[in-house]
Structures are given as C-alpha cells and as structure tokens.
Amino acid sequence: MNEFLPFLEKMTDPVQRARMEEILNWVHTTYPQLEMRLAWNQPMFTHHGAFILAFSVAKPHIAVSPEQYPILRFAQEIDAAGYSRTDMLFRIPWKSEINYGLLSQLIEFNLVDKAETTTFWRK
C-alpha cells in the first residue's frame, strides 16, 4: 500500500483516512492481481495496464470511478445502494456503509470486459 501513502498522508481527517485505507486495503486484498498506482492524484487499480477502478475524496463523500460504461451498466445497483452518481462516478457518503458487493461487481465486470484491452481507457 506504499503506492498510496502520498494520497493518504494528505487526508487531514483521521476517520476519513481510516475509511479510505479500509477500502483500498479491501480492494488490494480481494483482488491481489490488480496493480496499484497513484495517477492524477487518485489511487487507482489497473490490470495489465488497463484501468479498472479509481477513488477520490471530497468533503462529503468518496468518489468511485470505474469508467462510464460500468456506471451505466450497473446504474440500478448503484441507485439501489443509495449512492448518487454521474456518468463517470458514484459517491459514497462518508457515513454510509460500503457496499463491497457492488464494488466486487464493478471490478469483476471490468476485469472480464477489459481482459483483451490493450489501452488504459476503453475505446
């Protein structure tokens, strides 16, 4: 998790930092095949050079970005989890439960859908 230390060290709220560490550790432990990298000041996970998932933080929430296609594909599941969304991300309020099942669905979808992808982003 050393890759994410510069990001985490900038978080001033210890409760939020612990929450973010929990999520990043969960992804890393559950999907050890994913590479960790810090890009555009965001912790992100890639696989064979293809983008899988990224996180960013704001005062009221954690933003999760799996790219537009998975957001649209899982819109009902995201809405059912109680998270607000845009075309590119969904927001998990700091005090909300983390729906790890939904995160798994998104990661697993991207792993399968991008298995043959040779670029960082979808085309």
Side-chain angles (χ1 to χ4, degrees), residues 7-74:
F7 171 82
L8 293 167
E9 288 171 347
K10 290 179 185 175
M11 295 183 72
T12 57
D13 183 315
V15 173
Q16 291 179 357
R17 179 179 170 161
R19 189 85 188 263
M20 192 72 244
E21 284 183 78
E22 173 190 328
I23 294 168
L24 295 172
N25 278 320
W26 178 86
V27 175
H28 176 62
T29 302
T30 308
Y31 298 95
Q33 73 272 36
L34 297 181
E35 297 97 28
M36 297 178 286
R37 68 187 272 194
L38 195 59
W40 297 286
N41 298 314
Q42 299 179 69
M44 61 179 57
F45 294 88
T46 62
H47 191 250
H48 64 71
F51 176 85
I52 300 299
L53 188 75
F55 297 92
S56 59
V57 295
K59 188 175 182 177
H61 62 263
I62 300 163
V64 182
S65 177
E67 282 192 283
Q68 183 177 24
Y69 184 59
I71 290 285
L72 297 175
R73 164 73 175 73
F74 291 94

Side-chain angles (χ1 to χ4, degrees), residues 69-80 85 102 105-107 109-110:
Y69 184 59
I71 290 285
L72 297 175
R73 164 73 175 73
F74 291 94
Q76 288 182 334
E77 291 87 344
I78 293 166
D79 293 346
R85 62 183 165 85
L102 176 59
Q105 285 182 293
L106 292 163
I107 292 168
F109 176 81
N110 272 345

